[in-house]
Amino acid sequence: MPSIPTAASLSVPESKADVGTLREGATEFESKSGAIIGRGSEVVAQMKSTAVEFTELVSEQLKSRGTESIEAARTAMQGSVWGGAVTGKWADAAETYQQIAASHTASWNEAVRSGFGVTAESAGVTAGMPGDVASKIMDNKMAEAGAEQLAAMQGAVNAAYEKYKDEAKLAGTRLQQGPTPANLRALSGGGTTTWALFNAFGLKAGIPPLDGADGKRLAEALIGFLAGDDDAIPPALRTQIDNLLAIARHAQGIQDAGKQLDPGQLDFLQQLFKGLDIPANDNNPNGGTVFEALPHWLKARDVSGADQTLILGAFGGGLLAMTNEKIGGGFGRLPESLRDTLGYYSGKVDNFNVHTLHDQLIALAPYLGATTAKQIGLGRLEGGKEFSAALTFAVADFYSEVTRRRPAYEVPFTDLEEFAPHLLEASTRNTDVNHELLTGKIQHPDIGKHTPEYLVRALFGNTWDKDAGKAAAGLIDWIGTDAGSNDPATKDRATEAAYALFTTMTDRDNTSGLFDKSAYDFFTDSYGKIGSFENAPIGAANGAITYSMAKAAVPYLDYFAETDTGGKDQLFMSKDPKAADMYLSQQTREDFVELIMGGDASRDKFGAEVYRNVLLDAHYADSWKDTEEANDEAMRTGRLMGLLDTGFQRVFDDANVDANAKTSESTQHASWARAGAAAVKEVVTELPFVRGLGRGAQQIIRQVAESFKWTPGVVQSYDLVWEKGVAPKAEDFDRKGDPSYEQFNFAVTHTVIEQQLKDTDSGITIEDIRQADSRLVEQDANGKWQLRPADELMKIHEPSGKAEDKGMYTYSDAERELHRLLEQKLKDKVDKFNNSFNLQRKDTGG
């Protein structure tokens, strides 16, 4: 028969830690931190209860002595505070284990005394049962119940003891390592201290335990500072501002991680901005709030530039974090004055005062502008959905031809030009919002389903002299990047936004009745006289916007190269990854490429990317099954090149210049071809696995214009034609044929040869090329012969167009030498590709 457990059956390891002595040690450390500067418990109480700058505690005392060093005192105090914190944490652990051990011991002894809860009734003993039988049954049941309870309780005791040992080891390690940032954050977050660690070590200890009362105190302290005469921020106030900045940086770190700010941190932010949402002038309640006046006051008080950036950036970051739904914030936490105006755009209020909104936007701009990576390091922190959308709408309203017709907007608010970029840079960080704005899922309360067109007209239609539209381009600049995401939802979101962008900006119907002309006409000739344009296109006015348009188009080149069915634009968003997500009409393709061609940087990006795409296909010509497949590839890529020709020619025709268009176009294509050839070489050299990827994935791997070494820069034709209005004379450019076609043929043949050199079974070696024409090869740093890059050969051997250079060695000559090296089957495929390509290019470009 199994034995019945006794009181001694439970093994409870003994803790020899003297909690009282540990507590005395922690207290002694704390008292030393106060005694260092001669203020004892008073200092300890201050440090443990609220935020206070160290120098504020010690400076006066040490100044009176004259010989002591504040830094030495700080170091000594930090050591004392750290020792007290670690010792206190160890005392907590020891006391917790001893309490658990005592509790389990008492519970076990009670269980033993009660027979583990076994009764005659629960054991099944009946009145007529013999005594020895009944006793045996009871003993068996108690032994069984006791064993079960012993196992459970022993497990709990053992777990508590292991944790206790870990805490003991951790305390020793922390004392040896000292106050490292990781140790500080671990201790400060563990409830052992309140403010002591933060006051002694600053933000190395992490985010302080803030709450709404702290937010209110910060608002009051800031107002008190502004009411005084000092230009320098008081130490205590600086500490509080640093705490605010710490929350904003923490918010930036967790916004994409599915985490949220603590309720106390959110309350801190809400009460802070509520405390600043009071009249700046008691005698003029409608003259704006303290929050609105703060940027002006800081400047007027001659507060240093660094301190202004600190204050504005920290408050701007706090404002964005407070509105961000992803981390627990929301529009409802905004101060009342902002909710009463911006709330109009989400239907929360019925109307607002336009002049008040105007003043609020000007006030918000310095805060949000100071959050960028270059300023305070919060360039990735997003505002919430409602806040970001409202801010974008608010700026758009002041630049829209539609809202300008409203009586309330009659006053020309031209002073917004300085501030709008800061507002848009911040409001367009939230790409979820940008997607919903572009696709009409979020609608302007007055514009409804025409919101996407309204927005791009308002934001892209203004001539942004300050930044060429870079901030406004934030509405679309993310599309090209997200199109290459591995996350299907992110990729789909980018595709939907791209389709909306392509079709909205090229709409020729203007059926809404809201606008004076169609979107296509608006973006091609509404920017006034710029350079050689009487009615400039968007690219001449806002190059940063057309550059982002080019970036958005690059991942979708397959849709621009698709066979023209004569159909209308259509979005499918197929669940099948091999199926098409959209169809773009030929008109949409041509019109959108024309818009891109209007800007020099966007023209370079898109043109070079098309060449990269074409040459990357040709690089693997040896894997084409036959000339038929070569023809199919050529038809696709020829259509892309034809779009380039069409877009370039349209923009050129709009410019008031008397120049040789063919010369300009040839120069432009040579520039793109060199950039495309350089890109292909780098992609296939560094990332040889691209051969096995789909074309769309290849495009995303390395986008040409993201690397400046692949971008031609300000191209010759821009300076040559659209700015100066001159071109080489026809008699100085008398080569037969079309140079842009000739250099393309060379680039294709070169990339095929480059691939053949990598294939040991191809039969082509570098020595063969050297024997054919030594001008095609060069020696590397180790003296090894190699094929010269296509972009280098094209640049060196591109004729100047001058009569004296007639007959010089050109890339046409180089192409013939390389072409002879190809074996007949591959030569046939390359010839078919080039011929079909050129024919298709002419058909599309015509």
Side-chain angles (χ1 to χ4, degrees), residues 760-778:
T760 56
D761 297 326
S762 70
I764 299 177
T765 67
I766 191 66
E767 188 59 31
D768 294 331
I769 299 174
R770 185 183 175 198
Q771 291 291 332
D773 192 330
S774 61
R775 290 171 293 190
L776 296 171
V777 297
E778 63 185 6

Side-chain angles (χ1 to χ4, degrees), residues 489-560:
T490 300
K491 200 167 186 174
D492 285 350
R493 184 187 65 170
T495 299
E496 289 178 344
Y499 176 83
L501 178 69
F502 301 154
T503 55
T504 299
M505 294 191 71
T506 59
D507 180 62
R508 288 174 174 251
D509 295 334
N510 196 29
T511 57
S512 69
L514 290 173
F515 312 106
D516 294 334
K517 60 176 71 172
S518 72
Y520 169 76
D521 290 334
F522 178 80
F523 289 117
T524 52
D525 67 357
S526 294
Y527 296 85
K529 182 173 177 56
I530 300 177
S532 298
F533 294 96
E534 288 297 329
N535 296 296
I538 182 175
N542 295 317
I545 293 176
T546 52
Y547 186 80
S548 294
M549 290 165 60
K551 285 174 60 180
V554 164
Y556 303 100
L557 285 180
D558 275 358
Y559 295 111
F560 284 83

Side-chain angles (χ1 to χ4, degrees), residues 295-323:
H296 172 73
W297 286 352
L298 291 174
K299 188 176 294 186
R301 285 278 297 277
D302 290 327
V303 174
S304 72
D307 283 349
Q308 287 188 53
T309 299
L310 169 66
I311 295 174
L312 295 174
F315 278 81
L319 185 73
L320 291 172
M322 183 175 65
T323 66

Side-chain angles (χ1 to χ4, degrees), residues 251-261 325-328:
Q252 179 173 256
I254 67 172
Q255 69 181 0
D256 296 320
K259 300 178 181 179
Q260 296 193 340
L261 292 177
E325 298 89 352
K326 292 181 181 178
I327 54 177

